[in-house]
Amino acid sequence: MNFLEEKILSDGNIKQGNILKIDNFLNHQIDIDIMRQIAYELKRRFRNVTVNKVLTIEASGIAIATMLGDVYDVPVVFAKKSETANSTDDKYMAQAYSFTHKKMNNVFVSKPYLQSTDRVLIVDDFLADGQAMHALIDLVHQAGGEVAGIGIAVEKGQQKGGRILREEGYRLESIAIIEEMDWETQTIRFREQPSRSNNHDKLTTKP
């Protein structure tokens, strides 16, 4: 069991409706040590990949992306979901459905911040149906850049996003992959990662 799975079990809460609340350390209150560990683990997993830019989507992915950008010493870009008075008209646009908020968002990146020479590592806190990831991939492709990889903190393995992205040929690394969770028993089944000692799923009940 890795550090993030342990943190999920100790500090997370499973709610009805297939909802895992870990906003006390990942996407509302930020545990800097966990963010640092996530960044170093993603850098380790993509150690043989050249990256010159990190891309995420506002807002929950920004903390992870910033830590990872510091580790790589490369710029961090986040796709915005809403336009402001100083938004430029010269931008790449895509659409992403939010599983959390149950709505479609227009997301954009100003053109100067994505280039055809960029090898982009896309990161986010959660992966469910993969809509946000496909929007970010679309933005990179519009710029003529290359998706070097996709790094996720927590993947909901029972949903289709991860499977589709892997079938499409993208290198996807998720630190914790949840195959199943039950709010009544507070039971979480994590998918075993390739680097572990065996290939069996692990059933763990929250303390």
Side-chain angles (χ1 to χ4, degrees):
M1 183 174 297
N2 67 39
F3 70 93
L4 186 54
E5 293 166 344
E6 291 176 351
K7 187 69 171 176
I8 290 168
L9 292 176
S10 66
D11 288 21
N13 286 297
I14 305 167
K15 303 293 185 181
Q16 280 184 286
N18 195 34
I19 296 171
L20 175 65
K21 284 188 67 64
I22 51 177
D23 59 353
N24 58 339
F25 69 86
L26 187 67
N27 51 22
H28 190 23
Q29 175 173 268
I30 304 298
D31 185 317
I32 296 300
D33 183 58
I34 288 294
M35 289 296 172
R36 187 179 296 110
Q37 290 184 69
I38 290 171
Y40 278 110
E41 175 62 13
L42 290 176
K43 176 70 180 299
R44 184 190 70 80
R45 294 192 184 198
F46 289 101
R47 59 190 176 276
N48 60 343
V49 176
T50 300
V51 173
N52 70 341
K53 193 160 289 181
V54 176
L55 175 66
T56 191
I57 190 168
E58 67 174 357
S60 298
I62 294 175
I64 296 172
T66 300
M67 285 285 191
L68 192 58
D70 181 58
V71 171
Y72 272 105
D73 193 23
V74 300
V76 174
V77 178
F78 65 90
K80 294 187 175 184
K81 296 178 183 177
S82 58
E83 298 193 50
T84 59
N86 62 352
S87 297
T88 175
D89 290 331
D90 198 19
K91 53 184 172 285
Y92 302 111
M93 297 280 298
Q95 284 195 323
Y97 179 77
S98 170
F99 177 81
T100 302
H101 299 103
K102 309 298 183 187
K103 69 175 185 178
M104 189 69 72
N105 293 307
N106 289 318
V107 299
F108 71 91
V109 170
S110 295
K111 287 187 176 181
Y113 306 135
L114 281 177
Q115 303 290 327
S116 61
T117 53
D118 286 335
R119 288 183 51 82
V120 182
L121 181 56
I122 298 174
V123 299
D124 208 356
D125 59 339
F126 271 94
L127 172 63
D129 286 343
Q131 296 293 321
M133 289 300 100
H134 279 104
L136 294 177
I137 289 168
D138 186 10
L139 294 175
V140 174
H141 288 169
Q142 287 180 48
E146 180 179 350
V147 177
I150 301 169
I152 300 293
V154 182
E155 176 183 338
K156 292 186 174 181
Q158 73 274 36
Q159 293 179 240
K160 63 184 180 180
R163 175 182 56 80
I164 291 174
L165 288 166
R166 292 181 179 97
E167 288 176 352
E168 290 173 344
Y170 293 104
R171 179 169 175 179
L172 169 62
E173 294 286 349
S174 300
I175 298 175
I177 304 176
I178 296 172
E179 292 285 32
E180 185 179 9
M181 54 187 175
D182 189 307
W183 74 275
E184 291 182 325
T185 62
Q186 291 294 293
T187 299
I188 296 177
R189 181 161 58 92
F190 292 107
R191 183 184 303 174
E192 288 286 354
Q193 301 281 357
S195 59
R196 297 180 185 175
S197 57
N198 59 61
N199 292 319
H200 302 294
D201 290 334
K202 190 171 210 173
L203 186 65
T204 309
T205 301
K206 283 172 50 57

